[in-house]
Amino acid sequence: MSTEQNKINYKWIPFITYILIFINVIIFLAEELNGGSENIHTAINFGALYTPYVIFRGEVYRIFTSIFIHFGVEHIGANMISLCAIGPYVEHYFGHFLFLVLYIFSGIIGNMASMFFEWNTGVFNISAGASGAIFGLLAVFILFALNPKLRKVFPIQRVILSIFLSLVAGINDPSIDFAAHFGGLLGGLVLAFIMQEIIRFNLRREKTTN
């Protein structure tokens, strides 16, 4: 088969998005089989975020592991549907590795924002979920809206409204960690902008060199 035919038959696959969904689902099933995903003790044992444990016990790993823990079918269902809808666009834009970096970074920053908020309010909750990471991916759509080649597909007004509504939906719901959502969004936006500019700089340097 010729190289040209290979290019025609090649189909780009957002496999990191699918792997992340698979990992989340497998961990969720493991939770269900070991006490139930809505059981507090199960969540703690699997690595859910609890600020006092991170600060006073040094269990820093919870800032990372809690990104993959969920409470109930509705929780994981909503997050995985969002990841499936948003992930492929962002993964295609940045590539597989940078997409994964952005996802993990946004989730961690979201959890750190949640911890900061709890520490200042003195109210501590057991929290978990991929929503902080997903909001970090959602922030990339702002870059899409500012990109001359993509802005017609992703109008800035629609993007901002979608993000605003997604954030506002969790303000009055005590079961939703608004700080993690906002932290993930802001952290994702900053890192995505930096990565985009680095990529653009490297492309310009390659063109100059050639």
Side-chain angles (χ1 to χ4, degrees):
M1 185 179 289
S2 68
T3 304
E4 185 177 349
Q5 286 177 313
N6 275 325
K7 288 182 179 179
I8 293 173
N9 293 332
Y10 172 76
K11 184 178 180 181
W12 187 86
I13 299 174
F15 65 84
I16 297 298
T17 296
Y18 298 149
I19 288 173
L20 287 171
I21 292 173
F22 177 77
I23 291 172
N24 276 282
V25 170
I26 289 298
I27 293 176
F28 176 78
L29 292 176
E31 289 178 74
E32 288 292 316
L33 294 172
N34 289 274
S37 62
E38 298 184 69
N39 183 290
I40 298 296
H41 299 292
T42 300
I44 285 292
N45 290 336
F46 271 79
L49 183 66
Y50 188 51
T51 301
Y53 282 7
V54 175
I55 295 176
F56 299 115
R57 292 189 181 184
E59 297 178 1
V60 182
Y61 65 87
R62 293 184 181 276
I63 299 175
F64 169 76
T65 55
S66 59
I67 301 172
F68 300 93
I69 309 299
H70 290 86
F71 303 115
V73 174
E74 185 178 345
H75 188 206
I76 189 172
N79 277 346
M80 293 305 100
I81 289 172
S82 297
L83 179 55
C84 187
I86 296 170
Y89 289 102
V90 182
E91 187 171 350
H92 192 271
Y93 190 72
F94 281 118
H96 306 300
F97 176 72
L98 291 182
F99 167 77
L100 180 60
V101 170
L102 179 65
Y103 181 88
I104 298 298
F105 178 83
S106 299
I108 289 174
I109 293 299
N111 283 338
M112 291 177 68
S114 178
M115 289 177 57
F116 178 79
F117 177 78
E118 289 190 343
W119 184 257
N120 281 279
T121 60
V123 179
F124 303 105
N125 298 300
I126 296 173
S127 59
S131 53
I134 292 170
F135 265 91
L137 302 182
L138 185 59
V140 179
F141 282 70
I142 296 176
L143 300 187
F144 292 169
L146 297 175
N147 188 317
K149 296 180 180 179
L150 299 174
R151 62 177 56 164
K152 289 184 179 180
V153 182
F154 303 98
I156 187 66
Q157 297 91 339
R158 189 184 303 169
V159 169
I160 295 299
L161 180 61
S162 298
I163 293 174
F164 175 75
L165 292 176
S166 298
L167 282 172
V168 169
I171 290 181
N172 296 318
D173 189 340
S175 67
I176 294 178
D177 193 338
F178 176 80
H181 290 185
F182 186 77
L185 178 74
L186 187 59
L189 180 60
V190 172
L191 180 60
F193 177 78
I194 292 172
M195 292 194 307
Q196 176 182 260
E197 293 310 303
I198 291 175
I199 291 171
R200 287 178 174 176
F201 174 78
N202 288 334
L203 288 173
R204 288 195 296 267
R205 186 172 63 177
E206 287 179 10
K207 287 182 180 179
T208 303
T209 304
N210 295 332

